[in-house]
Amino acid sequence: MIRPDIFTETATALKNIYETQLPELRQLKDWQSKYRILMTLGKALPAFDSEWHRDEFLVQGCESKAWLLHYQDPVTTQHFWAFDSDARIVKGLIILLLVQLNGLTSEELAHAKPELLLNELQLQQNISQSRSNGLLAVLNKIKAVI
Amino acid sequence: MNFNLPALRQQFPFFTAHPDWIYLDNAATLHKPQVVLDAMHQFYSQQNSNVHRSAHGLSQQATAAFEAARSTVAQFLNARCSHEIIWTSGTTAGFNQLVYGLMGPVLQSGDRVLISSMEHHANIVPWHIHALPFGVELDVVPLTADYRFDLAAFTELLKLKPKVVSISHVSNALGHIQPIAQIVRLAKAAGAIVVLDGAQGIVWEKVDVQALDVDFYLFSGHKLYGPTGIGVLYGKTEYLALLRPLLGGGEMIKTVSFLRSSWNDLPYRLEAGTPNMAGAIGLGAAILWLRQQDLVAIQQHKQGLVQRFYEGCKQIPALELLSGQTTNAGIVALNLKNEHPADLATLLDQQKIAVRAGTHCAMPLFQAINSKGSVRFSFACYNSFDEIDRTLAALTTAVELLTE
Ligand SMILES: Cc1ncc(COP(=O)(O)O)c(C=O)c1O
């Protein structure tokens, strides 16, 4: 069973990252410092049960795997996610997408372009070229809930 | 020894375009010397006409150039005649034709086929598509503890009397050179048809198909300094003659009525549709270029690169080397303990080192060794010792970032 508080705990963690590490990332110029932060972002997320590493939640990228859980609040119609990945950089990149998307309504989600942040931070030049790390597949799956 | 690395590298225009990159993804595809590009350009700009089809002189010229490339390949492999060379679009396409073609004439329900644990998907999936649904059974030679071909287990498995034994010449994931002479000898003694996947092997050493006595040998042009979209299925005449064509149409026919068709002679029977003429001519040019190089010196250079890289890796803590240092055709696969190969490869990419991470189209191999995959460094004749040293420095930086 998926415990519902995984979504609230993830939302809190994402909010903290948005407020603390994201401004820090924007300041940094050299790639080493940026990747150093990117690779530790995942540690702030709540533990993801290995029991949820199930095929139904799997987004298969070429090199790494990601598991994505989704919940929509029936009252507010907001979308929430919880997730895991077996690669640290991809996990960090997914976090940077979700800090912008978590809690949005379908309409807001339809207009969101979260990949622009990755360009701005110079972490992923062009998401359509990221087929090999599976990030595009993750973004498509996130947006598919609409 | 006739090996001048700067002069050799100069012949590859790609490096002039990308002076700041270190390209160590050579097992995926090689760069092309200028003479290959020139030959293709010359074909399109001066010789282009459809081959074999028209009586006009232009078509005859194009046909002559196209067939000359076939002869170049035949001589390179020491085939008995040029009709033993079938053009394909690559190793994968060649395997699909081969496996489809064997079903019926050679393989029937209940027959067995033997492959190894190190095979590329190109030597696995075609069996799944074209053979297993018709009752053929697939057996797999296991690995030794140091991830080599297990000859003792192979000898045992031959007692199951496989009709076909299909093994890679060089493992694309690990770089290990398989004992092909023994494999062919033992398999033939057991009465099997022997296929070698030469996609990685052809660029490593001279292959003499008659001396080896192998029945089929496949490779891709783009892994032999040639263009993409062209490859070779070599087969002994008597075995090629058995193959059912996978594709129909074009010059592969003798006569066609609405209800039936009869097929042309070899090699055309297995080459449906307009062939990749420029590709064949480019591959011919690549082989002629390669024959002018000192192949022994290139082999020694690549061994030197592997050794320098390997020794350097041993100095970096927490690196786990999957490949062995000897009997290695120029590929080193490794992992950083407890880290995902994709992370290591991304941090190398940041430093403009092009390597491949993942399971390298050999998923069953990584299942067998219980690993998520690897980062693969593959070397070619044009790589330098300086590039190895810079790669080791970049690798050290990446490892430090991941382990701090
Ligand atoms: C050992 C081996 N076999 C087959 C192939 C497939 O070659 P291609 O993709 O050119 O058809 C490759 C290429 O990666 C390979 O390394």
Side-chain angles (χ1 to χ4, degrees), chain A residues 80-131:
Chain A
F80 296 94
W81 287 271
F83 75 99
D84 196 13
S85 168
D86 61 353
R88 279 205 265 161
I89 293 174
V90 166
K91 196 167 180 177
L93 293 171
I94 297 172
I95 289 177
L96 292 181
L97 297 178
L98 280 181
V99 293
Q100 306 169 74
L101 302 178
N102 207 46
L104 298 190
T105 63
S106 293
E107 206 201 330
E108 290 165 335
L109 199 55
H111 294 107
K113 289 206 177 354
E115 62 274 22
L116 295 182
L117 176 66
L118 305 188
N119 294 358
E120 186 196 323
L121 297 174
Q122 290 184 324
L123 287 170
Q124 183 86 47
Q125 299 306 333
N126 185 345
I127 198 165
S128 66
Q129 287 169 0
S130 72
R131 201 175 72 113

Side-chain angles (χ1 to χ4, degrees), chain A residues 31 35-36 63 88-89, chain B residues 339-340 343 350 402 404:
Chain A
W31 71 270
Y35 273 87
R36 201 172 274 129
E63 291 167 7
R88 279 205 265 161
I89 293 174
Chain B
E339 298 296 337
H340 198 287
D343 288 331
Q350 282 299 311
L402 279 161
E404 67 190 19

Side-chain angles (χ1 to χ4, degrees), chain A residues 8-131:
Chain A
T8 46
E9 288 166 17
T10 304
T12 311
L14 290 173
K15 191 160 169 290
N16 285 337
I17 290 170
Y18 188 83
E19 286 167 0
T20 318
Q21 278 95 348
L22 185 57
E24 227 181 298
L25 270 173
R26 286 190 203 276
Q27 296 290 311
L28 293 169
K29 294 277 175 290
D30 68 302
W31 71 270
Q32 274 115 316
S33 313
K34 280 192 252 186
Y35 273 87
R36 201 172 274 129
I37 293 188
L38 189 67
M39 289 193 295
T40 53
L41 292 182
K43 290 194 182 135
L45 294 177
F48 195 91
D49 272 20
S50 57
E51 195 248 312
W52 304 332
H53 287 162
R54 275 187 252 150
D55 280 353
E56 59 188 299
F57 304 130
L58 181 67
V59 192
Q60 183 98 49
C62 222
E63 291 167 7
S64 47
K65 290 177 179 169
W67 296 267
L68 204 55
L69 307 180
H70 168 250
Y71 166 77
Q72 184 172 21
D73 187 318
V75 181
T76 65
T77 75
Q78 288 170 290
H79 297 278
F80 296 94
W81 287 271
F83 75 99
D84 196 13
S85 168
D86 61 353
R88 279 205 265 161
I89 293 174
V90 166
K91 196 167 180 177
L93 293 171
I94 297 172
I95 289 177
L96 292 181
L97 297 178
L98 280 181
V99 293
Q100 306 169 74
L101 302 178
N102 207 46
L104 298 190
T105 63
S106 293
E107 206 201 330
E108 290 165 335
L109 199 55
H111 294 107
K113 289 206 177 354
E115 62 274 22
L116 295 182
L117 176 66
L118 305 188
N119 294 358
E120 186 196 323
L121 297 174
Q122 290 184 324
L123 287 170
Q124 183 86 47
Q125 299 306 333
N126 185 345
I127 198 165
S128 66
Q129 287 169 0
S130 72
R131 201 175 72 113

Side-chain angles (χ1 to χ4, degrees), chain B residues 11 74 153:
Chain B
Q11 300 181 52

